Every structure is written in C-alpha cells, then in structure tokens.
Amino acid sequence: INRKVLMSEVAIIIPARMESSRFPRKPLAKLLGREMILHVLDRVTEVANKEITFVATDSLEISQLVEKSGFQVVMTGDHPTGTDRLAEANRIINARFVINIQGDEPAFNPDDVLTSIEFLKNTGFAAITGFCSATGDLEFQDSNTIKLAYSRGNRLLYISRASIPGSKKRNVSNFFRHVCMYGYTSDALSNFAEMPRGTFELIEDHELLRFVENDIPVGVVELSDWSVPVDLPGDIALAEKQLKDKFFLDNFVD
C-alpha cells in the first residue's frame, strides 16, 4: 500500500485505556512480541502520515510507550466511552473530520481507513461506522459479536449484541457484523459529549446508540472482514494468526 493520507482537516485518533474489566492492561498485551496498541498504529500508518495520527489516553504508561515508539499522544481525562474520549482529544487537535480506530483492533485492513474518510467526507453523515457480511450461528449468537441493521440509504437502524435480525424460524444464514471503525465531524463529537448517555446505549453498552436515540443519522459503509477484535485474552491467538496471514508478520524481537 503506497497511498498516504495527509490532510489538515482529518485526524485519526485511537482511544486507549488501561482498565478494561474483561481484559486489564489490554493495550499493552503483546501479539507476536509487540504491544497491541503499536500494531494498531502500524496498520494506520500504512495509509496515513504520523502527523495526523494520535493515541488518546489517560494512561501515562501507554503514553510513554507510544511516544517512545515515535507516535503522537493526547492525554485526556477518564471517560465512559471511547467517543467521549475522542471528543476531548479533538478539542485539542481541532480536526474537521475524525476517524476513530479502536485500540484493540490490531489486524484491520488499512484500506478501510481511506474508505471511511471518503464516505464521511462525501455522504453528509455526521457520524459513520463500518460493517461486513458474516455467517455462522456461533458468531451470530455471541454477545461479543456486535450486529447491526441498516436502511437502503445506508443509515444505521440499530446496533446490538443480540442476534439481529431475529427470525421466528431461527434460520438466519447471514448477518451484518459491526466493523469497529468510526468517523465523525467535529460538530458531531462536540454534540455527542454534551448529550446524556441513552437508555439503549447503557443496555447494549454501545455509544453509537447515543446518536440513534437523539435522532442523529449514522451512516454505515461496507468494509473488509479482516478485523479480529481482541475482547478477551483468548482472542490474541486469532489476531496473531490474522497478522501472520494478512500482513506476513513474524515474532518481533525486543
């Protein structure tokens, strides 16, 4: 990949926190001998310059590692969601468009960053996210796999940990899996931070529903199915396999 994004109006921000209840210290967990947060940065900077790439964190330990590795950090306070953290970070960065890459997505397709930027800038949505087609009943029933439904105009209808769409016959053969890449205008982030957390947002534990509950359209764009989110320690082996298969990586040496 030799395309590079360098636009003063765009920032790519990776929110990272140390205290995950299901996987403490997750950003510093090693995959193939390299910390997960650095893998995420490696993927981003295949298509974007370091000048527009930032990690937003409240952890001094994460900050020190990221800066030592030659990347930029914005220190933030503690926040209930990654998007709230982005909103604070962008008050400092002041980008017109913000792409949010999750800090636990070490094996996403870098081209998805460019697709998301183009979709955000050209469709008029103030907030966007990704999806891919998926199959498999185990994944469909898994509450850690986020599913979504969308309209013909590529507008998010609902996003859920539940098995949607449901069927009386229970014979759903395929569904749409959420790909955890987001995009926001600066105004959308500012508005998000001012809105109280919503009923469904709290039940589902998914901040995009704060926009949905406030009647703010969220656009959805089809992205690659490469993504292997690391929710639990057991997911590391799956992500490492994807890093080897898609990026031909081997063990990093300290």
Side-chain angles (χ1 to χ4, degrees), residues 86-137:
L86 251 67
E88 180 186 352
N90 198 47
R91 287 198 291 270
I92 298 166
I93 298 166
N94 197 31
R96 183 181 174 194
F97 300 103
V98 173
I99 299 297
N100 171 11
I101 313 292
Q102 297 296 87
D104 58 3
E105 293 270 352
F108 67 88
N109 185 343
D111 278 345
D112 287 346
V113 176
L114 304 178
T115 301
S116 296
I117 291 171
E118 183 179 11
F119 188 78
L120 178 63
K121 294 182 73 174
N122 295 330
T123 59
F125 286 109
I128 68 160
T129 195
F131 74 92
C132 66
S133 295
T135 59
D137 192 61

Side-chain angles (χ1 to χ4, degrees), residues 17 20-22 26 80-81 102 104 137-149 158-166 175-178 180 182 197 200-209 229 231-232:
R17 64 188 181 97
S20 167
S21 58
R22 294 182 299 171
K26 181 163 58 170
T81 75
Q102 297 296 87
D104 58 3
D137 192 61
L138 281 178
E139 192 174 18
F140 187 55
Q141 303 295 335
D142 185 357
S143 63
N144 288 319
T145 299
I146 307 297
K147 281 76 65 173
L148 60 77
Y158 196 67
I159 190 164
S160 182
R161 297 180 180 278
S163 303
I164 61 170
F175 60 97
F176 298 114
R177 175 169 72 85
H178 183 222
C180 295
Y182 307 84
R197 302 190 75 188
F200 297 115
E201 176 191 359
L202 290 167
I203 291 170
E204 296 274 10
D205 189 24
H206 206 291
E207 63 255 45
L208 277 182
L209 289 168
D231 296 312
L232 301 166

Side-chain angles (χ1 to χ4, degrees), residues 227-240:
S227 168
V228 179
V230 179
D231 296 312
L232 301 166
D235 297 328
I236 285 180
L238 295 172
E240 287 183 325

Side-chain angles (χ1 to χ4, degrees), residues 21-236:
S21 58
R22 294 182 299 171
F23 192 168
R25 299 179 60 80
K26 181 163 58 170
L28 301 186
K30 289 192 175 183
L31 291 84
L32 304 176
R34 184 166 174 81
E35 288 84 353
M36 178 153 37
I37 190 67
L38 298 184
H39 278 289
V40 179
L41 286 161
D42 290 343
R43 304 290 83 72
V44 171
T45 51
E46 288 190 36
V47 293
N49 291 78
K50 287 184 177 182
E51 288 85 353
I52 64 166
T53 303
F54 304 84
V55 170
T57 186
D58 58 357
S59 164
L60 186 60
E61 195 172 351
I62 292 173
S63 172
Q64 289 173 339
L65 171 69
V66 169
E67 289 187 332
K68 179 183 176 183
S69 302
F71 298 98
Q72 299 183 92
V73 174
V74 176
M75 296 299 295
T76 69
D78 186 26
H79 290 285
T81 75
T83 307
D84 289 293
R85 192 182 301 281
L86 251 67
E88 180 186 352
N90 198 47
R91 287 198 291 270
I92 298 166
I93 298 166
N94 197 31
R96 183 181 174 194
F97 300 103
V98 173
I99 299 297
N100 171 11
I101 313 292
Q102 297 296 87
D104 58 3
E105 293 270 352
F108 67 88
N109 185 343
D111 278 345
D112 287 346
V113 176
L114 304 178
T115 301
S116 296
I117 291 171
E118 183 179 11
F119 188 78
L120 178 63
K121 294 182 73 174
N122 295 330
T123 59
F125 286 109
I128 68 160
T129 195
F131 74 92
C132 66
S133 295
T135 59
D137 192 61
L138 281 178
E139 192 174 18
F140 187 55
Q141 303 295 335
D142 185 357
S143 63
N144 288 319
T145 299
I146 307 297
K147 281 76 65 173
L148 60 77
Y150 64 93
S151 74
R152 291 179 179 176
N154 282 81
R155 176 173 173 170
L156 178 69
L157 297 174
Y158 196 67
I159 190 164
S160 182
R161 297 180 180 278
S163 303
I164 61 170
S167 170
K168 287 195 297 185
K169 297 179 181 179
R170 299 183 60 82
N171 63 347
V172 175
S173 58
N174 53 58
F175 60 97
F176 298 114
R177 175 169 72 85
H178 183 222
V179 175
C180 295
M181 190 172 293
Y182 307 84
Y184 306 105
T185 64
S186 57
D187 287 345
L189 282 176
S190 298
N191 293 337
F192 181 91
E194 297 300 320
M195 295 185 290
R197 302 190 75 188
T199 301
F200 297 115
E201 176 191 359
L202 290 167
I203 291 170
E204 296 274 10
D205 189 24
H206 206 291
E207 63 255 45
L208 277 182
L209 289 168
R210 196 180 310 180
F211 288 111
V212 173
E213 291 185 76
N214 284 277
D215 296 313
I216 298 172
V218 176
V220 297
V221 57
E222 187 165 11
L223 300 177
S224 165
D225 62 359
W226 289 17
S227 168
V228 179
V230 179
D231 296 312
L232 301 166
D235 297 328
I236 285 180

